């Protein structure tokens, strides 16, 4: 059985299980009221399709019930079937626009992070939903989208036998950048990322952190509007991670660039403008870092670790020390600990 056949069967099983549970909810009520919607949303959430998707289903049903004047729970089964099919099979959207922002996607292995990036890049076809990049629907053709995005994959796409400089110049040539213009661009990126002393070295002789810098430079060689990075800091030492994040922040601030990246390091979320939490191919939480990580128990229920500062904040609150909601820095925690020990 092929991958896409397995995905199709998995979706069918999800729908069948939902249908059975929803029928149980419908049969236990004699009228449509707020208790009905609360029970329905709780059932959907426990069906493991995600809190955001569950809320969307219930909101859509509320609108349909109001529009049709339906009051009998038995009459909403057809409406629910239509709504759930639409949301699960075709109405999920991902929009990447060109504005200075850092979007961070978090999720356990298999959540769909790398798959999403592959779909954006055109290396994998989506089975449903919509993807818009720079205002263009990918269903209508990629056009010049490839020139507007730069991508850093988990596995390096660089040639280990070439020097750093030759790797970057050959990449520039693919975008029609040659001669003095190409050399100028390579030197600019080498200066910003701090690898001028590595330009003449063979790539295969570089460390993991050094190679990652070259990967980022390769993705930026054609001056894209959107930079996409798939777990760029995995395996890097703390100092290299810090340097890379400083560079990412400078792209947002100085280059007005959109940066879309995935990570396993929860503490990195505090440096993003927008956080998306993925589970089983769906965005189940979305918002600012504070909005997402202030929901500590919900984050943990998705098998994600909340930032250590948030965990420490919880312990301080239990000890009777008043602490602010959401993400806080380690300095605030340290100050609270100091006061506790006085």
């Amino acid at each position: 059985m092929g991958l896409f056949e397995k995905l199709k069967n998995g979706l069918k099983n999800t729908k069948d299980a939902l249908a059975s549970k929803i029928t149980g909810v419908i049969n236990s009520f004699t009228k449509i009221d707020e208790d009905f919607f609360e029970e329905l949303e709780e059932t959907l959430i426990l069906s493991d399709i995600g809190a955001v998707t569950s809320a969307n289903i219930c909101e859509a049903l509320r609108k349909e019930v109001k529009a049709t004047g339906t009051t009998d729970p038995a009459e909403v089964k057809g409406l629910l079937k239509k709504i759930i099919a639409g949301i699960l099979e075709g109405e999920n959207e991902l929009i990447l626009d060109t504005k200075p922002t850092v979007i961070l996607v978090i999720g356990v292995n298999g959540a769909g992070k790398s798959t999403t990036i592959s779909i954006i890049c055109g290396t994998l076809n989506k089975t449903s939903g919509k993807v818009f990049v720079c205002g263009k629907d990918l269903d209508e053709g990629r056009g010049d989208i490839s020139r507007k995005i730069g991508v850093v994959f988990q596995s390096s796409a660089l040639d280990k036998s070439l020097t750093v400089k030759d790797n970057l110049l050959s990449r520039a040539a693919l975008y029609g950048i040659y001669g003095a213009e190409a050399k100028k661009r390579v030197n600019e990126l080498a200066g910003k990322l701090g690898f001028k002393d590595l330009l003449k070295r063979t790539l295969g002789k570089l460390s993991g952190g050094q190679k990652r810098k070259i990967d980022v430079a390769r993705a930026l060689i054609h001056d894209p509007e959107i930079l996409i990075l798939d777990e760029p800091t995995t395996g890097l030492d703390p100092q290299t991670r810090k340097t890379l994040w400083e560079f990412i922040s400078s792209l947002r601030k100085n280059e007005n660039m959109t940066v879309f990246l995935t990570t396993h390091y929860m503490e990195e979320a505090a440096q993003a403008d927008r956080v998306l939490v993925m589970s089983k191919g769906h965005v189940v939480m979305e918002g600012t870092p504070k909005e997402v990580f202030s929901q500590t128990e919900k984050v943990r229920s998705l098998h994600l670790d909340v930032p250590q500062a948030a965990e420490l904040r919880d312990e301080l609150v239990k000890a009777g020390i008043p602490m602010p909601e959401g993400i806080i820095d380690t300095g605030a925690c340290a100050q609270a600990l100091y006061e506790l020990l006085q």
Side-chain angles (χ1 to χ4, degrees), residues 25-318:
V25 174
I26 290 173
N27 292 340
S28 65
F29 282 84
T30 58
K31 65 177 181 178
I32 298 176
D33 54 15
E34 194 54 38
D35 288 339
F36 171 81
F37 283 110
E38 288 181 3
E39 181 71 18
L40 176 63
E41 185 167 356
E42 183 177 348
T43 299
L44 292 170
I45 292 173
L46 292 176
S47 297
D48 207 19
I49 64 171
V52 172
T53 302
S54 301
N56 289 343
I57 290 172
C58 288
E59 182 61 27
L61 181 61
R62 278 190 173 91
K63 292 179 180 178
E64 289 288 341
V65 167
K66 184 176 181 180
T68 59
T70 302
T71 58
D72 185 356
E75 296 178 7
V76 306
K77 195 169 183 179
L79 293 174
L80 268 172
K81 184 177 179 181
K82 177 183 175 182
I83 291 167
I84 291 172
I87 288 179
L88 288 182
E89 294 181 4
E91 294 181 5
N92 294 308
E93 288 188 351
L94 174 65
I95 300 175
L96 286 183
D97 212 345
T98 52
K99 58 181 179 180
T101 187
V102 175
I103 304 169
L104 187 72
V105 183
I106 300 174
V108 297
N109 288 333
K113 305 185 301 297
S114 295
T115 299
T116 299
I117 288 177
S118 295
I119 290 171
I120 295 171
C121 299
T123 57
L124 182 67
N125 292 325
K126 62 182 178 60
T127 55
S128 65
K130 290 284 186 181
V131 179
F132 295 87
V133 179
C134 300
K136 186 173 181 61
D137 186 345
L138 294 192
D139 287 342
E140 299 175 1
R142 299 195 61 80
D144 63 347
I145 287 178
S146 295
R147 295 192 65 88
K148 293 184 177 182
I149 63 174
V151 187
V152 178
F153 293 102
Q154 287 188 40
S155 299
S156 178
L158 297 165
D159 189 328
K160 295 180 181 179
S161 64
L162 296 179
T163 65
V164 170
K165 185 175 182 179
D166 286 342
N167 261 290
L168 296 177
L169 288 176
S170 62
R171 183 64 179 176
L174 293 177
Y175 290 95
I177 307 172
Y178 303 100
E181 182 183 359
K183 292 177 181 178
K184 178 182 177 183
R185 183 63 179 155
V186 168
N187 286 328
E188 285 177 355
L189 291 170
K192 290 178 179 179
L193 282 163
F195 62 83
K196 279 190 173 183
D197 57 327
L198 303 177
L199 286 173
K200 295 181 180 180
R201 291 183 62 179
T202 303
L203 192 84
K205 297 181 180 179
L206 303 185
S207 68
Q210 291 170 334
K211 289 177 183 176
R212 182 58 66 184
K213 289 182 180 182
I214 315 306
D215 277 318
V216 174
R218 174 185 178 276
L220 292 171
I221 198 70
H222 59 295
D223 196 20
E225 297 177 34
I226 297 174
L227 176 63
I228 300 172
L229 308 102
D230 194 2
E231 298 187 17
T233 58
T234 298
L236 301 184
D237 63 85
Q239 183 56 47
T240 304
R241 280 175 60 194
K242 181 175 181 291
T243 300
L244 185 55
W245 263 105
E246 288 174 349
F247 181 67
I248 289 171
S249 297
S250 73
L251 290 175
R252 168 183 51 187
K253 182 179 179 181
N254 302 324
E255 308 291 336
N256 293 324
M257 186 177 291
T258 297
V259 182
F260 180 89
L261 71 157
T262 66
T263 186
H264 282 305
Y265 298 116
M266 299 302 108
E267 64 269 23
E268 292 183 349
Q271 302 178 69
D273 299 305
R274 180 177 160 210
V275 175
L276 308 180
V277 180
M278 291 193 71
S279 177
K280 299 184 179 180
H282 292 274
V283 175
V284 295
M285 296 179 72
E286 180 178 356
T288 65
K290 180 177 180 180
E291 290 168 344
V292 169
F293 285 102
S294 62
Q295 303 176 64
T296 307
E297 293 306 319
K298 188 173 179 181
V299 171
R300 286 177 177 149
S301 73
L302 295 168
H303 307 293
L304 298 172
D305 293 325
V306 295
Q308 291 181 351
E311 293 184 4
L312 180 54
R313 178 206 58 205
D314 291 347
E315 296 303 315
L316 291 171
V317 170
K318 290 177 184 178

